[in-house]
Amino acid sequence: MSHRDITLIQATVDNGRIYFPSTDLKFFPADSFGDRMGDGHRGTPVVFRAAGLEIETDIRISSGQRLSPRSSFAAFLKQVSAVEGAVLRFTRTSERGYQVDSLAK
């Protein structure tokens, strides 16, 4: 199983948006990507399992530099008392499934 570690910035903690670098394109299924715009093309959803929550969402190509799940992770971040500098580990568990764990800062 492959994984990615994301170090949280304050904007992520405040807004619940997770950002992956664009170099992680192959970490997600090719058909999971959607447009940035809310009314644009949506990708086929993937499922993130995080502390008992299931977040089903497509992945937005936010810019040339980053990717972002369309759905917010605010409830999960609040549940784990996330702070800037903390690390989230995203482990791919199946073709469309990911486990999210909060690692100690």
Side-chain angles (χ1 to χ4, degrees), residues 2-103:
S2 62
H3 71 272
R4 300 293 185 274
D5 290 343
I6 302 294
T7 301
L8 300 180
I9 59 174
Q10 191 61 48
T12 294
V13 174
D14 293 344
N15 302 313
R17 296 284 174 209
I18 305 292
Y19 296 102
F20 292 84
S22 60
T23 54
D24 280 343
L25 274 171
K26 293 185 189 269
F27 187 60
F28 300 102
D31 66 350
S32 67
F33 297 103
D35 294 340
R36 232 178 120 163
M37 308 307 256
D39 58 351
H41 166 76
R42 298 238 178 194
T44 303
V46 296
V47 177
F48 294 94
R49 289 176 180 80
L53 302 171
E54 281 198 4
I55 302 166
E56 186 173 324
T57 184
D58 67 336
I59 308 297
R60 296 180 305 159
I61 299 178
S62 298
S63 71
Q65 301 299 318
R66 61 188 187 175
L67 313 169
S68 176
R70 190 175 304 273
S71 294
S72 173
F73 280 70
F76 167 70
L77 295 173
K78 184 176 181 179
Q79 186 173 338
V80 298
S81 302
V83 295
E84 181 178 19
V87 175
L88 298 183
R89 174 163 287 171
F90 292 79
T91 303
R92 190 170 185 176
T93 57
S94 67
E95 181 183 351
R96 305 198 85 74
Y98 299 84
Q99 176 65 41
V100 185
D101 296 297
S102 179
L103 305 178

